[in-house]
Amino acid sequence: MTTGNREDYLIAILRLTEGGTAAKTTELASFMGVSPASVSEMLKILSKDGLVEYAKYRGVKLTEKGLTDARLTRKRHHVVEKFFIDILGLDPMAAHEEAHRIEHSISDEAAQKICDMLGNPPDCDCQCCINPCKSVSGFGIAITTLVRDMGEGNRGRISCMKSEDSNVLKKIMALGIVPGREIVLESKDEENNAYLVQSNGASIVLDETLASAVYVDLQN
């Protein structure tokens, strides 16, 4: 049994049971396009691994561990799919198919970095992230601020980017501004809405739109 095959089953069960009811074997078989016998064999394996609760004739539902694994996989899919559509310009259907293949191999850490880079809005699967981003764990509190609101000489580490316009995110990434890198606001010209920052050894001028899309965790 491949990891991808197992995760496909977990996501299918998640989709069929999100209303709170158990999924029947025949229902799961129809949803996945496989035989009921194949489903029964897989459910025995998943039950043994502690991922599902399965009883013949009563159906199947995810355990807490199974729910976490399924949501993490679905979150990886959504993140990769959005990257292909917004940044690479792939057709949504092609992006979906590519994301389905990659969701099983990309690490949670890599997916989260892409999520931070894209500024994905939080969804119901975010609660399962190993290291929740600011959007989930209290975005905007403590020492997180926008580049435009930094004081001259302030330094910090880029937390994430957020914009409804994917072109803004593309411009930011093209400038070498990505989550995790240190950034310093050298000076700002508020009259002309220009912000001079230094990051990754380069001096970069951001306009108001770009400076309003980059969040920074300030250093004391």
Side-chain angles (χ1 to χ4, degrees):
M1 174 183 62
T2 65
T3 299
N5 191 28
R6 181 162 85 168
E7 290 177 343
D8 284 342
Y9 267 88
L10 293 179
I11 291 178
I13 296 170
L14 173 62
R15 290 172 176 165
L16 292 173
T17 60
E18 282 188 305
T21 59
K24 301 297 184 182
T25 302
T26 52
E27 183 182 19
L28 184 56
S30 176
F31 186 85
M32 298 195 68
V34 297
S35 68
S38 296
V39 169
S40 295
E41 287 303 310
M42 176 61 79
L43 293 182
K44 291 176 183 178
I45 295 173
L46 295 177
S47 179
K48 183 178 180 181
D49 290 342
L51 298 171
V52 303
E53 295 178 2
Y54 170 58
K56 197 172 183 179
Y57 305 121
R58 292 207 301 267
V60 60
K61 61 181 180 179
L62 297 170
T63 62
E64 185 174 344
K65 183 178 186 305
L67 179 62
T68 296
D69 286 359
R71 282 180 164 170
L72 283 174
T73 301
R74 187 166 65 178
K75 184 64 180 181
R76 292 196 301 269
H77 178 101
H78 290 163
V79 168
V80 173
E81 185 176 69
K82 184 173 176 64
F83 176 80
F84 283 141
I85 294 173
D86 290 357
I87 304 303
L88 300 187
L90 264 64
D91 173 84
M93 183 58 70
H96 177 78
E97 294 299 325
E98 291 290 344
H100 179 68
R101 286 189 282 270
I102 294 175
E103 69 188 33
H104 302 303
S105 57
I106 188 173
S107 69
D108 292 324
E109 180 182 6
Q112 184 166 333
K113 287 185 179 298
I114 295 175
C115 190
D116 289 340
M117 183 172 63
L118 297 176
N120 283 349
D123 59 33
C124 64
D125 295 325
C126 291
Q127 61 187 285
C128 294
C129 283
I130 305 301
N131 183 26
C133 64
K134 296 290 188 306
S135 297
V136 177
S137 58
F139 188 86
I141 63 174
I143 56 173
T144 300
T145 189
L146 289 167
V147 166
R148 73 177 184 194
D149 295 328
M150 293 172 67
E152 293 185 352
N154 284 170
R155 69 173 57 242
R157 192 171 296 278
I158 300 167
S159 172
C160 67
M161 285 92 81
K162 284 187 173 295
S163 176
E164 296 297 322
D165 187 348
S166 61
N167 288 322
V168 170
L169 299 176
K170 290 179 183 179
K171 290 178 182 178
I172 293 171
M173 285 184 278
L175 291 171
I177 296 178
V178 296
R181 286 183 177 170
E182 289 194 353
I183 187 169
V184 179
L185 179 63
E186 295 186 340
S187 64
K188 58 182 175 181
D189 181 351
E190 295 183 345
E191 183 177 346
N192 295 303
N193 295 322
Y195 302 79
L196 177 63
V197 301
Q198 185 176 102
S199 182
N200 200 36
S203 292
I204 305 164
V205 176
L206 303 177
D207 62 20
E208 179 74 12
T209 299
L210 300 184
S212 299
V214 181
Y215 287 84
V216 177
D217 288 336
L218 294 180
Q219 297 176 359
N220 295 327

